[in-house]
Amino acid sequence: MVEIEIDGKKVEVPPGSMVMDAANKLGTYIPHFCYHKKLSIAANCRMCLVEVEKAPKPLPACATPVSAGMIVRSHSEKAVQAQKSVMEFLLINHPLDCPICDQGGECQLQDLAVGYGKNNSRYEEEKRVVVPKEAGPLVSMKEMSRCIHCTRCVRFGQEVAGVMELGMLGRGEHAEITTFVGEAVSSELSGNMIDLCPVGALTSKPFRYSARTWELSRRKSVSPHDGLGANLIVQVKQGFVKRVLPLENEAINECWISDKDRFSYEALTSADRLTRPMLKQGGEWKEVDWQTALEYIAHGLKNIRHEHGADAIAAYATAHSTLEELALLKKLASGIGSDNIDFRLRQTDFALDGQVTPWLGMPIAEVSNLQRALVIGSFLRKDHPLLASRLRAAVKNGGQLTLVHATRDDSLITVANNIVAAPSDWLAVLSGIVSAVASAKGEAAPAGFSSDFSDAAKAAAASLLSGEQKAVFLGNAAVHHPQASAIAAAAQWIANATGAKFGYLTEAANTVGGYIAGAFSQKAEAAFATPKKAYVLLNAEPELDAANPAQAVAALTSAEMVVVMSAFKHGTEYADVLLPVAPFAETSGTFVNCEGRAQSFNGTVKPLGDARPAWKVLRVLGNILGLPGFDYETSEAIRDEVLGAGVADVSSKLSNVSNAAPQAASFGAGDKLERIADVPIYFADALVRRSGPLQATVDAQAPKAVISAALAEQIAVKSGDLVQVLQGNGSAILEARVDAGLPANVVRVSAAHASTATLGGMFGPISVAKAGTAAGEGK
């Protein structure tokens, strides 16, 4: 450790630290703009100039390494004069936009100008003007004349998001931050550049001119989207959510959030919002009061149970529902006598039920420190944006990442080994890695495994057998896979044999909570595989959320009663009752994230119209049905019953370990086309599907049929042509895109979109043909 003195106070910091690090440790504030604790040092704003004893001139605190015995004065006359001189230069060209600037009230330049700026300017020439840029639907670059060239946004793109979407052109007064070749900013983490900007150059396009910062109330919340459970600050004005920002939590989301966390709030005032209970009578929808709707449901459920038995009733939810909602849905189904409940609507293999309660297998913060990682079946960037950024940081620190997947998507991470194979061959790929690990260790492979393996398997095994901190992760596609249990068994064996931790990159905000609440059936059957007479759907849109949407819609259409509990109006073709329930911002509840951390939150605004929190709706429905145990006064009472009072960490209740033995598999002939389906980032749940700004992004474009170069040549198709995709009894006309990195027998067609909802399962046989003229006209 190196001891230095700052403003008369002594502090010890590690060798190689900067003066700014030492000041932060002491709690001494040194003014700055370009410095940020999560980004590399740029030292280009010079605002942090300090006096260092024996140095001939002030030095930048952010870029001056400490040395033993160094004496620093951050507020001496010499230092303050240097800082004031820098401020004078920064304000030379800065426009007087404060009265209309969205950054007003939370602007670093504004704050520091009060202490270090002069009350008049010596600059009388014309101020420079920078042409506004178009950066897409999320980030506004309309006032780039405000930019002070701190380059935080540029460094964030390079170092955290993994893609340099902004850069600096020109020199001197002609320098400006711009996008490359007029491209829109399309990173899934782009909104963080708005937070990083110390002035009002980059602002939120959806929030623009809608409120001033001092008018907003700030309330804590938790992301309802992916499994990370990012901590949020929800800002409210006059009962409406106006902005969502990150709440810093180093253990979970650091100081970042993904764009779907940041901009999905726009869906809260969508035209699709359901605000009154509705009944379908004589084929027409009519608004009714809550009592009428709930009594109708109770009467219908009792009739169906009496006529067809309790097994004819099913309750399905998504894992974007809170712990309390899932617990009460389970209690409701059990009270009726039905075991048909599940929140894993995209899963089809349930062989590990009763053995495995999936979770990350390690604290989220440790992902950044991994030296070796194997990720199986994950669209990393889009499924888990912030976990991907942690893996990106791990690789930058010398780690090695191995991917096993059906596509060669650019994860914006340097990948050591990228094994691309058709989904039906994933188990064969893992079999090769199992054999390679056993061979490298000089041990016998498990029974039935061949001693032959590819060079790719050998390289993957060598990577995992080196290093110390290691992990094997299963992604969403691996969990949705028809052979999910066999893939998990092979991955578990590899993790054990290489000394790696084994975990799941869980799909949604409350996937772990769904298991803790017991909101799943013991029958090990895919949702909607066996049609039922009555369905209760909580936050679920089966035509988009189910593993086989065509099968789900057929089951719902044939049912006698379908109850839709949702914040949005949907399912009107098959539903009989629509109940408006409150989304995350309008209800209290708990999400259990991928590391097993239970995070409770309160509603930030009142429910819109007559919408009610789903746990209250389920409680009242339980009371009307005469079921015992539905007398909760608060959501906290339900949470404490499920978790135990005061319990925040449930990782001790979770286990990824099963007793399933790994099964050897060999590669198929590859002569039949098969589908791989991703869930696009902005179609993954009900909120992002209805957020206008997110739906205007590149990632929200209609799905295409992505085919290999070999298939394109075979059917005489090029990118941009229309093709007819056939799967099961359904078909779709889609635009084709040729991807040279796709295996010859794989067709990538996204799920969770209306244009592909007529197709079958996310995996399995599929056929593609060039669409005729008539088909093209029909589209």
Side-chain angles (χ1 to χ4, degrees), residues 554-583:
L556 291 164
T557 305
S558 66
E560 291 182 14
M561 186 171 80
V562 176
V563 179
V564 170
M565 298 175 64
S566 173
F568 303 98
K569 190 174 182 179
H570 69 87
T572 52
E573 314 80 35
Y574 53 72
D576 298 283
V577 191
L578 300 179
L579 298 181
V581 298

Side-chain angles (χ1 to χ4, degrees), residues 373-394:
L374 167 62
V375 179
I376 303 159
S378 176
F379 296 91
L380 255 179
R381 271 181 65 199
K382 306 303 181 181
D383 289 348
H384 310 284
L386 291 174
L387 279 176
S389 75
R390 285 192 181 269
L391 280 171
R392 192 173 295 121

Side-chain angles (χ1 to χ4, degrees), residues 28-354:
T28 299
Y29 179 73
I30 297 175
H32 60 273
F33 293 111
C34 68
Y35 169 80
H36 190 277
K37 62 184 178 181
K38 294 289 182 182
L39 303 176
S40 62
I41 294 166
N44 54 5
C45 79
R46 319 308 283 183
M47 191 65 211
C48 64
L49 291 174
V50 293
E51 181 184 356
V52 178
E53 196 170 90
K54 298 182 182 178
K57 60 182 180 179
L59 299 176
C62 69
T64 302
V66 297
S67 59
M70 178 184 276
I71 297 175
V72 178
R73 298 181 184 92
S74 67
H75 295 92
S76 66
E77 185 178 347
K78 186 176 181 180
V80 170
Q81 186 55 47
Q83 292 160 357
K84 285 185 175 181
S85 297
V86 170
M87 177 59 73
E88 185 176 14
F89 276 112
L90 287 174
L91 294 178
I92 277 177
N93 279 311
H94 200 78
L96 293 174
D97 280 350
C98 298
I100 58 116
C101 178
D102 272 344
Q103 196 85 349
E106 52 188 15
C107 172
Q108 275 183 266
L109 184 65
Q110 199 176 48
D111 293 342
L112 292 177
V114 173
Y116 298 92
K118 294 185 176 183
N119 57 8
N120 64 313
S121 174
R122 293 183 285 172
Y123 188 79
E124 296 180 356
E125 288 76 15
E126 286 188 16
K127 290 180 181 283
R128 80 178 196 136
V129 176
V130 179
V131 176
K133 314 291 189 303
E134 180 53 54
L138 305 180
V139 180
S140 173
M141 297 179 73
K142 294 294 185 187
E143 286 91 13
M144 292 307 291
S145 295
R146 301 171 184 165
C147 178
I148 61 170
H149 302 159
C150 70
T151 68
R152 281 184 178 183
C153 55
V154 178
R155 285 175 286 146
F156 171 82
Q158 285 179 299
E159 298 161 17
V160 180
V163 55
M164 188 174 169
E165 294 184 293
L166 298 181
M168 184 180 285
L169 296 178
R171 295 177 64 83
E173 72 168 8
H174 300 295
E176 58 183 272
I177 300 292
T178 184
T179 59
F180 283 103
V181 205
E183 291 290 323
V185 173
S186 58
S187 164
E188 61 279 359
L189 300 175
S190 67
N192 292 294
M193 294 191 289
I194 299 167
D195 298 336
L196 286 172
C197 186
V199 295
L202 301 179
T203 54
S204 167
K205 192 169 277 189
F207 174 70
R208 188 173 162 84
Y209 298 146
S210 64
R212 304 313 304 260
T213 180
W214 53 85
E215 299 175 310
L216 300 170
S217 302
R218 291 160 175 78
R219 289 146 196 185
K220 296 179 182 179
S221 192
V222 178
S223 165
H225 303 297
D226 60 42
L228 194 87
N231 290 194
L232 309 176
I233 295 173
V234 177
Q235 299 190 330
V236 176
K237 177 185 176 183
Q238 296 175 351
F240 292 97
V241 176
K242 290 293 183 182
R243 188 164 60 164
V244 173
L245 299 175
L247 174 63
E248 186 171 347
N249 187 333
E250 278 298 312
I252 299 176
N253 56 301
E254 301 175 273
C255 54
W256 319 120
I257 55 175
S258 67
D259 286 353
K260 64 180 176 180
D261 297 332
R262 184 182 301 271
F263 297 109
S264 66
Y265 74 88
E266 286 282 315
L268 298 175
T269 52
S270 159
D272 285 350
R273 275 300 300 267
L274 182 63
T275 57
R276 293 286 307 273
M278 301 181 77
L279 287 181
K280 186 189 284 183
Q281 296 177 335
E284 292 186 5
W285 286 99
K286 296 182 179 178
E287 293 184 349
V288 296
D289 58 61
W290 273 102
Q291 188 70 19
T292 302
L294 292 176
E295 286 181 354
Y296 177 89
I297 295 167
H299 180 72
L301 291 176
K302 286 178 179 177
N303 277 353
I304 289 170
R305 181 177 61 178
H306 176 72
E307 293 177 13
H308 305 286
D311 190 55
I313 300 171
Y316 294 131
T318 67
H320 301 285
S321 308
T322 67
L323 179 76
E324 294 81 356
E325 292 164 1
L326 292 174
L328 285 194
L329 189 66
K330 166 69 174 178
K331 202 168 190 176
L332 185 80
S334 299
I336 293 171
S338 172
D339 185 41
N340 301 313
I341 177 170
D342 221 320
F343 64 94
R344 304 162 301 176
L345 303 188
R346 293 194 179 105
Q347 193 169 324
T348 56
D349 181 354
F350 302 93
L352 297 182
D353 277 7

Side-chain angles (χ1 to χ4, degrees), residues 589-673:
T590 304
F591 292 133
V592 184
N593 73 356
C594 60
E595 69 175 5
R597 185 189 298 243
Q599 300 185 104
S600 295
F601 55 91
N602 293 316
T604 55
V605 292
K606 291 181 179 179
L608 194 64
D610 285 345
R612 296 290 181 267
W615 70 266
K616 289 188 177 181
V617 175
L618 290 167
R619 180 197 64 189
V620 175
L621 184 55
N623 291 335
I624 294 174
L625 284 165
L627 304 178
F630 281 82
D631 52 356
Y632 306 100
E633 293 293 328
T634 64
S635 62
E636 289 80 7
I638 309 170
R639 177 198 66 197
D640 291 347
E641 181 178 283
V642 177
L643 300 180
V647 174
D649 182 2
V650 300
S651 58
S652 60
K653 300 179 181 179
L654 307 172
S655 173
N656 296 322
V657 179
S658 74
N659 57 18
Q663 303 170 23
S666 55
F667 287 89
D671 55 343
K672 294 183 180 178
L673 292 181

